[in-house]
Amino acid sequence: MAQKEGRREFLKRSVLASAGAALALSPINNTLALLTNGKKVKLGYIGVGGRGQHLLRLLFDQQISSDYEVVTICDNYQPSIDAALEIFKEYGRPVPKIFLSHQKMVKNIALDGVVVATPLFAHAHISIDCMNAGIHVLCEKAMARTLDDTKAMYDTHIKTGSILLIGHQRIFSKVYTNAINQIHNGKLGEIGQIRAYWHRNNDWRRPVPKNKPYLEKKINWRLYNEYSAGLLTELMSHQLQIANWALKQNPTSVMGTGSIRYWKDGRQVDDNIALIYSYPDGTQFVYDSLNCNKKYGCQEHILGSKGAMELETNKFYSENPPQAPGILQLINDIEKDVFRDAQIGGASWVPETAVKYEGETIITNKQKGDGTAEELVHFIKCIQKKSAPEWILKEGYNTSIWTLLGEQAIESGTKITCPEKYLI
């Protein structure tokens, strides 16, 4: 038994050492370390609905209040403003200046950076106005509602030099960073396919005040084509980014289909979709999402010749899992008074009661959250340094472009490629 425990400890130390080495390779690590230069970064939040409020709480929860101050918030919906002000009060933070339009905010208050958490269709003109004013931007994903607006955001970043980060927070998750490093170092062998899905069982609607039906599209903007591409921009874009990141490539084409199968309630966006993205090396990214069944939840499967990873659940499965130690199993059976005939002459003998292989963890001591808190802190650090890793923006840009091309594939029923003018 001592020998068995020794081997267990050896394997544990090996896994921990491997995890540490993988994290050291990542350009995104230690993002919650204390900041340094003593000057407070002045932040504004544009859009303080559900997502904006979540981002406020996450930032206020970090122990770095000496490095930043949220000095202003902007929204054109009073209930959202009121809810955000309650968060400031709850955390004992100074009351921010309030604006109903981002143009007035930019004109009347000095800001270093803004967090843009408005509905998708408003991302582009807000982010562009802020960058043109010399304000750095962290914008929620996807970048914009149209291909042209997405490219305009990128071009404005290049023209002004203002930082532009897009909210694909899994780039900052230790599980995902560790997994991608292992993949790039050959842990899975040659990648054959990536599969992902995001399944929910709800109508995705938010309540509209009964006496204000005209607020329907304002509140439920995710359900209308003018404002959102639904499951594509709000969910799939996260997982397409992971596929691009893992493969270190962008797709060459996409095919797709979708329909409103279940929620026939006046919405315009599909409630179920399926797409296949093809990559230059022949790898396929197979994706589906729906709103009427939650059994399978959210997951990314990266499948290679040596193993598979399930990133959402922090699991690795080798193609050659360890076999049950036959003699030890026999001893265990004897100890339990279970006797049966068994052939033990061959070196490859494994009993029928072989231990079920349940995989291994990608990283131990998994952090709480999905990387969003780290993303917010990273944004503040980038503002202090006046620079940000360009590859992160390119991940956001290419993902946003190919997400919208996926929408075109569904609408046209044809295979879609990327027009040259959107390539960067």
Side-chain angles (χ1 to χ4, degrees), residues 111-130:
L111 290 170
D112 299 307
V114 294
V115 175
V116 178
T118 64
L120 172 65
F121 71 95
H123 285 180
H125 68 273
I126 292 173
S127 297
I128 288 170
D129 287 348
C130 289

Side-chain angles (χ1 to χ4, degrees), residues 66-227:
S66 61
D67 293 289
Y68 76 92
E69 183 180 0
V70 180
V71 297
T72 181
I73 61 174
C74 176
D75 205 297
N76 59 11
Y77 188 53
Q78 191 61 46
S80 294
I81 293 173
D82 294 341
L85 290 176
E86 285 298 314
I87 295 173
F88 280 83
K89 181 179 179 181
E90 175 186 341
Y91 282 85
R93 300 302 174 97
V95 177
K97 292 186 181 296
I98 300 168
F99 291 90
L100 302 182
S101 79
H102 76 278
Q103 294 96 336
K104 289 184 177 180
M105 171 190 277
V106 169
K107 185 177 180 180
N108 289 283
I109 191 165
L111 290 170
D112 299 307
V114 294
V115 175
V116 178
T118 64
L120 172 65
F121 71 95
H123 285 180
H125 68 273
I126 292 173
S127 297
I128 288 170
D129 287 348
C130 289
M131 285 188 283
N132 280 331
I135 300 170
H136 305 298
V137 176
L138 169 58
C139 179
E140 270 296 343
K141 60 86 201 132
M143 281 179 74
R145 182 63 189 93
T146 69
L147 293 168
D148 286 339
D149 280 351
T150 303
K151 185 62 161 58
M153 288 175 68
Y154 179 81
D155 289 345
T156 303
H157 154 74
I158 296 297
K159 180 186 73 174
T160 63
S162 296
I163 293 167
L164 176 61
L165 296 179
I166 306 303
H168 291 288
Q169 67 266 19
R170 285 165 177 79
I171 286 176
F172 300 88
S173 160
K174 288 185 179 179
V175 171
Y176 281 79
T177 298
N178 192 289
I180 297 301
N181 279 327
Q182 291 186 42
I183 291 166
H184 290 170
N185 288 328
K187 178 84 170 183
L188 299 186
E190 187 171 347
I191 303 301
Q193 188 180 89
I194 299 178
R195 305 178 65 88
Y197 47 83
W198 202 322
H199 296 180
R200 293 174 168 179
N201 192 346
N202 60 61
D203 61 7
W204 220 2
R205 284 192 170 278
R206 294 178 175 177
V208 176
K210 291 182 179 180
N211 62 336
K212 297 180 180 179
Y214 57 87
L215 292 176
E216 163 63 21
K217 289 187 177 181
K218 184 179 185 66
I219 293 173
N220 287 307
W221 56 272
R222 290 176 180 83
L223 304 180
Y224 297 95
N225 287 327
E226 181 181 355
Y227 309 114

Side-chain angles (χ1 to χ4, degrees), residues 229-241:
L231 297 172
L232 290 153
T233 48
E234 308 310 317
L235 300 182
M236 187 200 74
S237 57
H238 280 299
Q239 294 165 298
L240 177 58
Q241 183 271 316

Side-chain angles (χ1 to χ4, degrees), residues 38-51:
K39 180 184 176 182
K40 280 195 174 185
V41 170
K42 294 187 181 298
L43 291 179
Y45 268 58
I46 303 177
V48 286
R51 183 63 179 175

Side-chain angles (χ1 to χ4, degrees), residues 291-329:
N291 274 354
C292 69
N293 186 287
K294 65 182 179 180
K295 174 176 171 52
Y296 292 104
C298 174
Q299 186 58 270
E300 303 89 26
H301 300 271
I302 303 182
L303 310 173
S305 58
K306 295 181 180 179
M309 284 185 178
E310 295 179 354
L311 276 64
E312 287 285 342
T313 48
N314 188 30
K315 298 291 286 187
F316 165 74
Y317 300 89
S318 173
E319 281 291 281
N320 298 294
Q323 291 183 332
I327 298 300
L328 287 178
Q329 184 66 56

Side-chain angles (χ1 to χ4, degrees), residues 249-268:
Q249 304 175 71
N250 296 313
T252 54
S253 66
V254 56
M255 301 180 292
T257 186
S259 66
I260 301 174
R261 171 66 184 87
Y262 187 79
W263 297 108
K264 298 178 181 179
D265 56 1
R267 71 185 59 206
Q268 297 172 347

